[in-house]
Amino acid sequence: RLWSDYLSVCLHPKSLYVIRQYMHDGDCGCLEAFGQGESLLQDPGCLEELEDRLHFYAEECDYLQGFQVLCDLHNGFSGVGAKVTELLYDEYSGKGILTWGLTPVMSNMGILMVAFFSPQDAQKNLYRLMNTALGIVRLSSHSSLFCPLSLSGSLGIK
């Protein structure tokens, strides 16, 4: 049912942090707004757990040179990624942070074509546009290099 069902690599238990309320069968549904993702890491328990996992791996490094962050831009995970890169920037100043902003290919979607969609599609398009814009601005401000990555030439925005 999930991408992890097809993962053939065994991952260390501290390498994944599952956000329970936003799982496929979670309480809150989907993480669709930048602010929702950002507010997740304002919870002291969540932030402390993330910092513990980060420090666990950083202490294992002989010579830590930097970080690579892969983050969805089109949904609420852009807010999570923005807070994570901000944390990395503050905790490990002087270390490189290479951030990849990922967007899916959206067929027949575009913010200029809102008039042809239902109100729900128009709202999803608006969320997608705002999440992408906020994600690009916030991720690039705390990264050494920010690279948007998509199979669509327009980052899913027409």
Side-chain angles (χ1 to χ4, degrees):
R1 288 186 26 210
L2 307 172
W3 67 269
S4 57
D5 295 340
Y6 301 99
L7 187 65
S8 61
V9 177
C10 293
L11 299 173
H12 192 279
K14 286 197 178 251
S15 64
L16 294 176
Y17 181 67
V18 178
I19 303 170
R20 298 266 178 227
Q21 64 265 37
Y22 292 106
M23 289 179 62
H24 292 281
D25 55 353
D27 302 335
C28 299
C30 66
L31 189 59
E32 59 186 17
F34 184 89
Q36 285 177 307
E38 206 174 34
S39 67
L40 279 175
L41 292 184
Q42 291 177 353
D43 173 33
C46 181
L47 186 60
E48 184 179 329
E49 181 69 25
L50 182 65
E51 285 177 340
D52 287 346
R53 289 167 186 255
L54 180 62
H55 289 280
F56 172 78
Y57 280 107
E59 290 169 3
E60 292 294 315
C61 293
D62 290 333
Y63 181 66
L64 179 65
Q65 296 180 16
F67 301 91
Q68 285 194 55
V69 178
L70 282 84
C71 181
D72 287 337
L73 287 178
H74 67 284
N75 58 23
F77 284 101
S78 61
V80 174
K83 290 304 268 184
V84 167
T85 54
E86 185 179 341
L87 172 73
L88 293 172
Y89 183 80
D90 292 342
E91 293 267 332
Y92 298 95
S93 60
K95 303 296 181 191
I97 302 172
L98 172 59
T99 305
W100 302 91
L102 311 170
T103 58
V105 174
M106 300 293 178
S107 62
N108 299 327
M109 293 294 206
I111 196 64
L112 297 178
M113 300 174 66
V114 168
F116 301 110
F117 293 121
S118 68
Q120 293 83 13
D121 288 339
Q123 183 178 7
K124 285 181 182 179
N125 258 354
L126 187 58
Y127 274 144
R128 191 175 298 118
L129 176 66
M130 294 304 297
N131 290 334
T132 302
L134 288 169
I136 288 172
V137 169
R138 296 286 301 281
L139 287 166
S140 62
S141 67
H142 293 109
S143 300
S144 306
L145 177 65
F146 173 78
C147 183
L149 190 61
S150 179
L151 292 176
S152 172
S154 63
L155 290 176
I157 304 166
K158 293 182 180 179

